[in-house]
Amino acid sequence: MSGEQMDEAVTHVQLDEIDRRLIRELVKDGRVSMLALAQRAHVSRTHVYARIERLEKAGVIEGFTARINMEKAGLSTSALIALTILQDSWRGLSEQLKTLRYVERFTLVGGDFDVVVMVRTPDNQTLRDVVLERIHSMPGIRSSRTWLVFEEWTEQGYEWL
């Protein structure tokens, strides 16, 4: 393996049960105090500081965020959009999708479609505009299929970790 390939290789961090417990607690409440984390993990506060710092430096913990109720925030219409793209258009397309308002996330996938995009908009008219006017006007889009999201569930606690 060349030096360049080694730089690009993903380094995995071995997580023990204390690391997993700390991560689960932080996912439940990113604002929890270090003292409370220490009590829940049954370790010292100094130990928690060291563990969290190690997990941040290793890139396991990338930040602390708030969970938003999208419907209450005025984004009540959600859709998954599957895109078929031209083979060489991924890089440019991904840069455009990153800047497109209402795009929550997107994933390059293998299979019948190439990209799956999660869009959250205030209403159906805005969704129509995002899909038919903005996404379809991007270079490299061959076709799309849109599924409205009626209900969804997301694991918030990472209990399986």
Side-chain angles (χ1 to χ4, degrees):
M1 189 181 290
S2 73
E4 186 175 306
Q5 288 173 324
M6 288 175 64
D7 289 343
E8 294 177 7
V10 175
T11 303
H12 296 282
V13 176
Q14 286 294 103
L15 300 178
D16 64 15
E17 188 50 41
I18 293 172
D19 292 330
R20 288 187 198 87
R21 190 174 311 136
L22 293 173
I23 291 168
R24 285 192 301 266
E25 293 297 330
L26 285 170
V27 169
K28 287 179 190 173
D29 181 4
R31 297 177 68 179
V32 65
S33 72
M34 292 295 162
L35 177 59
L37 264 178
Q39 291 169 342
R40 294 174 191 174
H42 308 293
V43 295
S44 72
R45 190 169 35 166
T46 304
H47 195 72
V48 169
Y49 276 111
R51 291 277 185 139
I52 299 299
E53 183 178 347
R54 180 179 62 82
L55 292 169
E56 285 179 308
K57 283 183 179 176
V60 174
I61 296 175
E62 294 182 327
F64 301 88
T65 63
R67 287 188 298 270
I68 308 300
N69 180 314
M70 293 300 181
E71 192 169 338
K72 289 182 180 179
L75 299 171
S76 58
T77 301
S78 300
L80 289 168
I81 303 150
L83 304 174
T84 304
I85 64 174
L86 296 174
Q87 189 172 13
D88 63 347
S89 63
W90 168 243
R91 291 194 197 289
L93 182 63
S94 67
E95 290 305 314
Q96 287 185 302
L97 287 170
K98 287 176 187 175
T99 64
L100 185 58
R101 187 171 185 195
Y102 303 117
V103 169
E104 179 180 290
R105 66 181 176 269
F106 56 89
T107 307
L108 180 65
V109 297
D112 293 338
F113 298 98
D114 302 308
V115 180
V116 177
V117 183
M118 172 58 101
V119 174
R120 297 189 190 274
T121 64
D123 52 47
N124 285 347
Q125 183 59 39
T126 306
L127 176 63
R128 180 192 180 286
D129 179 62
V130 169
V131 175
L132 297 180
E133 302 298 327
R134 297 181 190 174
I135 291 178
H136 275 259
S137 69
M138 293 178 179
I141 301 291
R142 292 177 54 207
S143 66
S144 73
R145 180 173 286 170
T146 301
W147 295 278
L148 289 176
V149 175
F150 296 124
E151 191 173 324
E152 63 186 311
W153 176 85
T154 301
E155 171 61 54
Q156 298 295 328
Y158 292 93
E159 296 301 325
W160 48 266
L161 180 67

